[in-house]
Amino acid sequence: MSKVHVKICVGTTCFVMGASELQDLEKFLPDDLKDKVEISGAACLGLCRDENYGEAPFVTVDGEPLSNATVNAIVDKIREKL
Ligand code: FES
């Protein structure tokens, strides 16, 4: 099975708005997801400059932008993708 790719924005806006906590996402993933997800950091994804996308912090899950990202919201989105 291919992995779900999660990109965590570590640009300034997202970092200040809480992405720093998301850096530990890997630790908080439920055990059944740990080997199904690939996590990487990304410089500003450009979403913070586009008012269509809501509030920082942003991540993308398989390319789909998620605003106001929290660990729970990311996990839900990952489950949707699997
Ligand atoms: S700083 Fe995260 S999308 Fe711009």
Side-chain angles (χ1 to χ4, degrees), residues 9-15 42-49 56-58:
C9 179
V10 293
T12 312
T13 307
C14 289
F15 196 81
C44 177
L45 297 165
L47 300 170
C48 59
R49 290 189 287 261
F58 294 101

Side-chain angles (χ1 to χ4, degrees), residues 55-70:
E55 303 273 309
F58 294 101
V59 303
T60 62
V61 180
D62 269 357
E64 188 182 323
L66 191 65
S67 59
N68 280 315
T70 59

Side-chain angles (χ1 to χ4, degrees), residues 6-68:
V6 178
K7 248 190 220 178
I8 299 170
C9 179
V10 293
T12 312
T13 307
C14 289
F15 196 81
V16 170
M17 297 293 286
S20 54
E21 289 168 34
L22 301 178
Q23 304 302 303
D24 287 332
L25 175 64
E26 198 150 12
K27 272 195 240 157
F28 296 118
L29 283 179
D31 283 342
D32 64 314
L33 293 182
K34 284 194 197 304
D35 58 349
K36 298 185 180 135
V37 180
E38 202 168 291
I39 300 168
S40 58
C44 177
L45 297 165
L47 300 170
C48 59
R49 290 189 287 261
D50 189 331
E51 58 200 23
N52 295 321
Y53 284 114
E55 303 273 309
F58 294 101
V59 303
T60 62
V61 180
D62 269 357
E64 188 182 323
L66 191 65
S67 59
N68 280 315

